[in-house]
Amino acid sequence: MTNDPAARRHLSKQSDCDLTRGEYAALARVHRDTVKRWARQGIGPRPRKIGPRLVRYSRTEVLAYLRDGESQEPA
């Protein structure tokens, strides 16, 4: 592990939203571009920007969305 404060901040943020776009796509059995399009259209769990190009999804929200689908009321 590193002593770099920026790296520690990144790791602490990642623990809250720990799925990459690719991991979300694999769970949903769709292409990564589909997940990206869903995010732009406001479909499914809201992505969290960790950096300029780094996006993560909450594992809990993704699993709940995949289980309940569109019938889930927005929070």
Side-chain angles (χ1 to χ4, degrees):
M1 205 59 150
T2 181
N3 288 330
D4 180 22
R8 283 197 302 267
R9 277 194 306 273
H10 171 72
L11 290 174
S12 68
K13 286 182 184 178
Q14 189 175 4
S15 65
D16 293 336
C17 359
D18 54 0
L19 289 180
T20 66
R21 185 175 289 137
E23 291 168 335
Y24 176 14
L27 284 171
R29 296 183 179 179
V30 297
H31 194 273
R32 286 174 31 103
D33 292 345
T34 301
V35 172
K36 188 175 183 178
R37 186 179 70 248
W38 286 348
R40 281 195 316 266
Q41 295 175 344
I43 298 170
R46 186 178 208 166
R48 283 146 179 97
K49 288 192 84 165
I50 305 297
R53 294 175 37 181
L54 190 60
V55 175
R56 294 290 184 262
Y57 293 84
S58 166
R59 178 180 299 276
T60 306
E61 290 177 15
V62 167
L63 293 176
Y65 177 73
L66 294 175
R67 183 184 63 243
D68 301 334
E70 291 290 331
S71 64
Q72 187 176 352
E73 288 293 320

